Amino acid sequence: MPFCHIVLTASKPTTPRNWVSGQKAKKRPKNIGEKLKARRLELRLRQVDVAILFGVHRGSVQNWERGVHTPDPSHAAPIVEFLGCDPFGKLAVRR
């Protein structure tokens, strides 16, 4: 059997250029999960992209957006930075 020692690598775009989500965000988000979803859709990101930003599993982002769970306080700083505001009402963004 012939062997080839050449390895091809290429970067894969995280979101296709023409990607449009079929999901809709609420016009007036009431909780952290709805705010995260609205911001994610505004930035045209997938749940897995947000999960990578926060260092969590994609399922965590899904559960936050659906209101099943709320984010752990250890994830508050990246969420505040992602949203550009403090949905927790008591944290300051440290830079």
Side-chain angles (χ1 to χ4, degrees):
M1 247 206 261
F3 291 95
C4 181
H5 298 288
I6 297 174
V7 177
L8 299 176
T9 59
S11 61
K12 180 180 177 184
T14 56
T15 306
R17 280 181 266 133
N18 59 350
W19 179 79
V20 177
S21 174
Q23 298 179 17
K24 301 290 180 199
K26 295 192 176 183
K27 293 185 185 212
R28 291 185 179 187
K30 296 178 183 172
N31 59 42
I32 294 172
E34 291 175 0
K35 289 178 183 180
L36 285 170
K37 182 175 183 175
R39 180 69 173 148
R40 175 178 66 80
L41 293 174
E42 177 185 325
L43 296 174
R44 298 182 62 193
L45 296 174
R46 300 172 298 163
Q47 287 176 331
V48 69
D49 299 324
V50 174
I52 291 168
L53 285 172
F54 296 159
V56 299
H57 190 272
R58 179 180 57 105
S60 296
V61 176
Q62 289 174 336
N63 287 333
W64 297 343
E65 289 185 359
R66 290 184 301 160
V68 175
H69 297 291
T70 56
D72 188 82
S74 64
H75 302 297
I79 289 173
V80 168
E81 190 166 332
F82 179 75
L83 294 176
C85 67
D86 181 8
F88 302 97
K90 55 190 167 196
L91 298 173
V93 179
R94 296 180 186 180
R95 294 180 189 228

